[in-house]
Amino acid sequence: MTASPNKSATLGEAAANGEDNPWPVKTVAMKIAGWIDRLGAVWITGQIAELSARHGARAAFVTLRDTAENASLQIMCPMGLLKGNPEIKEGAEVVVHGKLSFYTARGTLAIWADTIRAVGVGELLARIERLRKQFAAEGLSDPRRKRPLPFLPGGVGLITGRASAAQQDVLSIAKARWPQVRFHLREVAVQGPGSAQAVIAALKELQASSEVEVIVLARGGGSVEDLLTFSEESLCRAVAACPVPVVSAIGHETDRPLSDDVADVRAATPTDAAKRVVPDVAVERSRLHEMRGRSAAALRGWVEREQARIASLAARPALSDPHAMLRARAEGLRGARDTLRRSVQRQIEHERHAVAASAARLAALGPAATLARGYALVQGADGELVRDPAQTKPGDRLRIRLADGLLGAMTTKEIP
């Protein structure tokens, strides 16, 4: 039983607690009961992880779990709250109104609920949208952080429900497209209490394997409540933190759980996921054949262009008759040489005539011609020309230069 406010107040006036004045267990229990009683009623939202409603019992026990934070609470409620309400079942998201009570006899805390109702689709969608905006604000859904899928992964991790249609779709389509593909299958609960933690555990196990290069989350279609596991915050954060690329293939084209936002690739369906993860061997062979043909055609075209280029070069005079250019150059050289020779000869002839003319003028003007006409040059002993008889005196030696030689002479006296 809980303590009354008056009783609690009375206990609050008790002597101060201390090492010398310890409180009895009952006193402490009643104080705790008084504090909790003052909290009053609370509204709680969570997922029903466990529901115990035995036939004939007056109360039912409900374990509420917050899968995002991995926390739980024990709630009691009258059996009447559950009768005629099939939506209140394990795995359902509910809103509970109840009062917290502390039972002093057992020292346990419990919540006695007077209202339990299933969360409507609108409320679920609103909560999902709030988380979607939060992930966007944190950058978890930013396209720039998305990683490309490997072209042909060595190993593919597949997380699906046990023997589910989604599992069969992924495996059959992938094997048909590329028979050698290797899958690492993890079958877990994909709906209901504990499903988010099961998927997270499988995800961590696969990402730790060096053989897994991409992981696929696959589940068939369903209601918003059925797909709620893949909008749990804890699961979405685990997908965002996964070091291996993750493909989210949950539900149908119109379904959009939060795992689609934070995964590296969103596939519309499990079949679409198989097509995205594994290439089609027939298509790749066709592409390879086409590329081989295009490469051969390109190579032939290049060879033909080079052959035409070589033929064009060979047809040029420099290659077809390389001596023709030398002959033309030789003819030009011979012509230039003849022209130069004639020019030099003309110049020599011109200079010869000029020299001859100059020699004739020099001969006409020179002393030799004068001497040849009978004149003579008289020089003194010092070689100076004698132009005036006064330059000599009797007995001086003279040299007389004639046209054909020299004569010696001596002055005697002046001729009157």
Side-chain angles (χ1 to χ4, degrees), residues 47-53 60-65 73-77 82 88-89 94 96 111 116:
Q47 184 184 54
I48 297 179
E50 185 178 355
L51 177 60
S52 176
F61 293 89
V62 179
T63 301
L64 278 186
R65 177 176 295 165
L73 283 175
Q74 187 76 32
I75 295 175
M76 295 186 298
C77 68
L82 304 181
I88 306 301
K89 58 185 178 180
V94 295
V96 178
I111 301 174
I116 298 181

Side-chain angles (χ1 to χ4, degrees), residues 340-402:
L340 180 60
R341 182 182 289 113
R342 288 192 296 269
S343 177
V344 171
Q345 289 176 347
R346 284 196 299 269
Q347 185 66 28
I348 292 174
E349 193 65 26
H350 174 74
E351 295 299 328
R352 183 182 291 115
H353 289 303
V355 169
S358 298
R361 288 195 299 273
L362 181 60
L365 298 175
T370 304
L371 294 176
R373 292 198 299 273
Y375 291 92
L377 293 176
V378 179
Q379 295 174 311
D382 57 1
E384 291 292 330
L385 287 175
V386 178
R387 294 180 175 86
D388 188 350
Q391 291 180 247
T392 65
K393 59 185 183 289
D396 288 341
R397 291 184 179 274
L398 300 175
R399 295 177 64 188
I400 301 173
R401 180 179 293 277
L402 301 176

Side-chain angles (χ1 to χ4, degrees), residues 1-4 7-8 11 24-37 100-110:
M1 298 297 293
T2 59
S4 65
K7 185 66 175 177
S8 179
L11 290 172
V25 172
K26 182 178 179 181
T27 301
V28 175
M30 295 183 69
K31 281 181 174 292
I32 294 174
W35 293 333
I36 291 176
D37 188 66
L100 283 79
S101 299
F102 184 78
Y103 291 87
T104 57
R106 297 190 302 270
T108 58
L109 175 68

Side-chain angles (χ1 to χ4, degrees), residues 43 48 56 111 148 207 225 281 284 336 371 382:
W43 286 96
I48 297 179
I111 301 174
Q207 73 186 38
E225 295 90 337
V281 64
E284 297 304 322
L371 294 176
D382 57 1

Side-chain angles (χ1 to χ4, degrees), residues 9-30:
T10 301
L11 290 172
E13 296 171 356
N17 178 248
E19 183 179 359
D20 298 329
N21 186 32
W23 289 341
V25 172
K26 182 178 179 181
T27 301
V28 175
M30 295 183 69

Side-chain angles (χ1 to χ4, degrees), residues 4 66 97 116 143 166 170 190 224-225 275 287 330 333 363 382:
S4 65
D66 185 341
H97 181 266
I116 298 181
V170 173
V190 293
V224 175
E225 295 90 337
K275 293 179 180 179
R287 288 179 179 173
L333 185 59
D382 57 1

Side-chain angles (χ1 to χ4, degrees), residues 65-258:
R65 177 176 295 165
D66 185 341
T67 56
E69 301 297 336
N70 196 22
S72 62
L73 283 175
Q74 187 76 32
I75 295 175
M76 295 186 298
C77 68
M79 290 291 292
L81 289 181
L82 304 181
K83 291 180 180 180
N85 195 349
E87 295 181 349
I88 306 301
K89 58 185 178 180
E90 291 185 357
E93 291 285 328
V94 295
V95 173
V96 178
H97 181 266
K99 189 175 185 304
L100 283 79
S101 299
F102 184 78
Y103 291 87
T104 57
R106 297 190 302 270
T108 58
L109 175 68
I111 301 174
W112 184 259
D114 55 34
T115 302
I116 298 181
R117 63 180 176 83
V119 175
V121 174
E123 292 175 275
L124 290 177
L125 292 176
R127 192 180 73 178
I128 291 173
E129 286 306 312
R130 287 195 297 271
L131 273 176
R132 197 185 305 276
K133 292 179 180 178
Q134 179 180 341
F135 290 160
E138 295 178 13
L140 298 183
S141 56
D142 191 338
R144 291 175 295 183
R145 62 172 294 275
K146 309 291 185 180
R147 292 163 295 186
L149 301 181
F151 170 71
L152 182 59
V156 179
L158 177 60
I159 302 175
T160 64
R162 294 178 179 85
S164 63
Q167 177 187 138
Q168 296 303 316
D169 288 346
V170 173
L171 293 178
S172 60
I173 296 298
K175 294 286 186 181
R177 290 169 64 85
W178 199 282
Q180 288 76 26
V181 64
R182 290 182 290 115
F183 276 93
H184 300 262
L185 182 62
R186 297 295 182 273
E187 294 180 322
V188 298
V190 293
Q191 181 179 343
S195 57
Q197 294 303 318
V199 174
I200 292 173
L203 186 69
K204 290 182 178 179
E205 183 180 350
L206 288 174
Q207 73 186 38
S209 174
S210 59
E211 297 180 357
V212 176
E213 297 181 22
V214 62
I215 299 174
V216 179
L217 304 178
R219 189 201 188 285
S223 64
V224 175
E225 295 90 337
D226 294 337
L227 305 180
L228 195 60
T229 295
F230 296 94
S231 290
E232 291 290 350
E233 183 176 0
S234 56
L235 173 58
C236 293
R237 292 191 180 278
V239 170
C242 182
V244 178
V246 177
V247 178
S248 178
I250 309 302
H252 302 301
E253 175 68 32
T254 55
D255 297 320
R256 189 82 183 192
L258 292 179

